Amino acid sequence: MGIIPRDSRQIVCLLVASLASPLFAGETLQVTTADGRVLSGEVDRQSNSETLWLRLSQDNIILTTAVSWSDVVSATLNGQAIPVAGIVGDLGKYATSAPRTFLTQYEPVPIETQSVSRQANYAIKPKIATIQVEAGLANLDRTVELDGLLVSLAAFDTNGNVTPYRGTLNARLIVQRTNFHTGRISFDEFQRWSVRVGEKNFYDQIAQLSLPFHRPSPDFDWEVCPSAILNVRLGVPRQGNYEASVPVTIREINPLRDTMQNWIGTRFYRDELTHNTRHDGTQLLHMGYSPSP
């Protein structure tokens, strides 16, 4: 009995003829698989709705190859293109049997190519190890004052690589407040946010988020110190919670605006549009502002 070399891509059937008569020749089907293989042969009667068996015969030897229909991307029958679904739906028309004079002996061979492919597709991704956050003041609407924060949030996996994620960001802004009447200093939560983080928020695998102030901007709350702390907590399903805190400036230091604030009670000019500026025609209603002649 001859020995067929093992082929890691096929399941080989070795059939030994008891008679040396030529084999019946059916129609030749050629298929192309998702991983680029091209297989051809007669459709064997073993084929079913899940698996295609192709049979090749030469002299007294028959080789059969099995492939999942889900891996077949195109097919040709005797050189003519044919829909794959058409073959699956009418196997009785195309399938033939090997001659019964053959004694069949099966030798299964591991399909290593498919195993490697599955391992690549279902490889466990490294888990998030830590997060890094940066934040800065931003103008988020049509007015001139800076009325929110822009936050960049990156997650690093256990290999030290930046990795995208889906989760929920909870952030809070902690400020120092000085009461102008009593001089008492306190540390308060000025603002809190909760934001969903998804694919649309990412740029170069780093999430970009805007956090608008939902109360008057620090440009109008002068008891608040210009420096603050942004604390963020990122919750990622099936991985856990991650936290980071960074210093952030919430009111820009500007010598001219600081002088205006001390002398005339506002940091903005007459024609600058802010949330606290009210106009009646061209007349400014800011109290305490007297433009120079």
Side-chain angles (χ1 to χ4, degrees):
M1 179 183 299
I3 298 177
I4 302 300
R6 295 188 173 219
D7 185 344
S8 62
R9 296 183 180 180
Q10 299 178 342
I11 297 178
V12 179
C13 301
L14 177 63
L15 299 97
V16 181
S18 59
L19 297 176
S21 58
L23 299 177
F24 172 77
E27 296 182 305
T28 299
L29 178 70
Q30 185 177 84
V31 298
T32 303
T33 64
D35 59 4
R37 290 183 295 157
V38 177
L39 309 174
S40 61
E42 302 172 43
V43 180
D44 194 82
R45 190 72 68 183
Q46 301 176 78
S47 302
N48 54 40
S49 59
E50 296 180 355
T51 305
L52 167 66
W53 286 83
L54 292 176
R55 186 179 69 249
L56 282 176
S57 58
Q58 183 176 4
D59 297 329
N60 297 327
I61 297 176
I62 292 179
L63 300 179
T64 58
T65 304
V67 62
S68 173
W69 283 111
S70 61
D71 292 333
V72 176
V73 295
S74 64
T76 59
L77 186 66
N78 293 331
Q80 299 295 321
I82 184 172
V84 175
I87 304 174
V88 180
D90 197 5
L91 282 173
K93 176 181 177 181
Y94 301 101
T96 60
S97 299
R100 295 183 180 181
T101 54
F102 280 80
L103 173 65
T104 306
Q105 181 178 353
Y106 293 90
E107 183 180 0
V109 178
I111 307 177
E112 298 175 2
T113 302
Q114 293 184 2
S115 299
V116 171
S117 177
R118 290 179 180 178
Q119 290 175 3
N121 291 338
Y122 296 97
I124 298 176
K125 295 182 180 180
K127 190 175 181 180
I128 294 176
T130 186
I131 62 172
Q132 181 176 324
V133 60
E134 295 182 358
L137 270 176
N139 188 345
L140 303 178
D141 60 17
R142 62 192 182 92
T143 60
V144 297
E145 74 269 23
L146 301 174
D147 43 26
L149 300 175
L150 280 181
V151 176
S152 297
L153 185 63
F156 294 86
D157 62 25
T158 52
N159 295 328
N161 300 317
V162 181
T163 181
Y165 52 85
R166 294 177 183 269
T168 302
L169 175 72
N170 291 294
R172 54 180 182 159
L173 187 64
I174 308 300
V175 301
Q176 175 183 327
R177 182 179 295 277
T178 302
N179 189 302
F180 289 162
H181 298 288
T182 65
R184 180 176 177 272
I185 294 177
S186 61
F187 299 92
D188 306 327
E189 183 179 287
F190 182 81
Q191 186 73 63
R192 180 183 288 266
W193 300 268
S194 182
V195 181
R196 296 287 297 174
V197 184
E199 183 179 351
K200 65 179 182 179
N201 302 114
F202 282 87
Y203 180 77
D204 286 343
Q205 300 195 59
I206 297 177
Q208 307 288 340
L209 306 166
S210 59
L211 305 178
F213 296 136
H214 299 306
R215 58 189 300 177
S217 164
D219 277 327
F220 303 108
D221 191 347
W222 303 335
E223 291 187 339
V224 174
C225 177
S227 298
I229 290 178
L230 179 67
N231 171 257
V232 300
R233 175 175 294 178
L234 175 67
V236 180
R238 296 183 296 278
Q239 296 208 44
N241 295 317
Y242 305 85
E243 194 162 337
S245 295
V246 291
V248 61
T249 298
I250 58 174
R251 184 168 60 246
E252 285 188 328
I253 297 176
N254 184 305
L256 179 58
R257 292 198 186 278
D258 293 342
T259 300
M260 291 174 59
Q261 173 182 321
N262 293 330
W263 283 86
I264 61 177
T266 180
R267 295 177 65 84
F268 301 98
Y269 284 100
R270 178 179 62 184
D271 294 329
E272 289 183 296
L273 179 62
T274 74
H275 285 286
N276 280 15
T277 301
R278 301 175 61 191
H279 292 275
D280 182 8
T282 59
Q283 181 182 2
L284 178 72
L285 298 184
H286 264 318
M287 298 301 297
Y289 181 83
S290 299
S292 300

